Amino acid sequence: MDKRPAVLFVCLGNICRSPLAEAAFRKAAEDAGLDAECDSAGTAAYHIGAAPDHRSIAVARQHAIDIGHYQGRQICADDFTRFTHIFALDQNNLEDIRNAAPPHSSAQIQLLMDVVPGREGESVTDPYYGDETGFDETWRDVSCAAAALVNQLRR
Ligand code: 4NP
């Protein structure tokens, strides 16, 4: 690859799923020695400047990762050229991201679970209105996708 991969994970609020996707990818890339930039964002503006949901912070901590300093932000026009890949956590986010893409967008935009063989087309369920078990499921999904993505980007 002639350009260092730069990966953006996008959900709705940027406080539950995409911070966990960012954390799982950062760890998987570091463990694999993959040099990649990464960040996360939300399609909505609800939680700009906010820390991740306490349940996301807790599940990351269970996996020895600190995300307490992450800050919510909304996806912006520059992201479509700054990042080589933009991954939507669910189908609604994917549609919103595609609608927000400027004409000069160069990023490859796709659904995150599409990188996992056998799970193409699946959304990562929004755990916000549920209990802690939903966040464990989110972690399983995003870490599975992070491992597959690191393998794909190393090739
Ligand atoms: P996320 O979860 O998109 O995974 O960060 C949500 C966070 C906040 C809201 C909805 C989903 N909300 O409606 O405030």
Side-chain angles (χ1 to χ4, degrees):
M1 188 174 293
D2 54 342
K3 196 175 171 189
R4 180 183 180 230
V7 183
L8 182 67
F9 300 96
V10 182
C11 61
L12 176 63
N14 191 211
I15 56 165
C16 297
R17 293 166 292 174
S18 60
L20 288 178
E22 177 186 346
F25 178 78
R26 272 187 195 285
K27 176 75 168 56
E30 192 186 309
D31 288 351
L34 174 71
D35 182 21
E37 182 186 344
C38 90
D39 196 7
S40 62
T43 55
Y46 313 141
H47 301 286
I48 292 172
D53 187 283
H54 65 96
R55 296 163 296 179
S56 283
I57 293 176
V59 82
R61 194 184 299 122
Q62 282 166 22
H63 297 275
I65 302 172
D66 176 20
I67 63 166
H69 57 289
Y70 285 15
Q71 284 195 337
R73 75 171 182 91
Q74 189 174 26
I75 191 169
C76 64
D78 283 352
D79 290 327
F80 291 87
T81 45
R82 178 178 155 207
F83 292 92
T84 54
H85 299 73
I86 298 178
F87 288 103
L89 275 281
D90 70 31
Q91 289 283 359
N92 286 334
N93 306 145
L94 181 63
E95 211 170 293
D96 290 344
I97 294 162
R98 289 204 165 128
N99 289 334
H104 59 277
S105 171
S106 53
Q108 186 184 314
I109 302 167
Q110 69 179 115
L111 195 63
L112 180 62
M113 295 310 284
D114 279 354
V115 304
V116 182
R119 299 198 59 185
E120 297 88 350
E122 285 187 30
S123 288
V124 176
T125 306
D126 184 352
Y128 185 62
Y129 294 104
D131 63 17
E132 277 81 1
T133 59
F135 287 75
D136 292 331
E137 189 184 336
T138 301
W139 179 261
R140 281 197 298 275
D141 286 349
V142 300
S143 39
C144 188
L149 183 56
V150 164
N151 274 335
Q152 182 186 305
L153 294 173
R154 284 167 90 195
R155 275 189 243 123

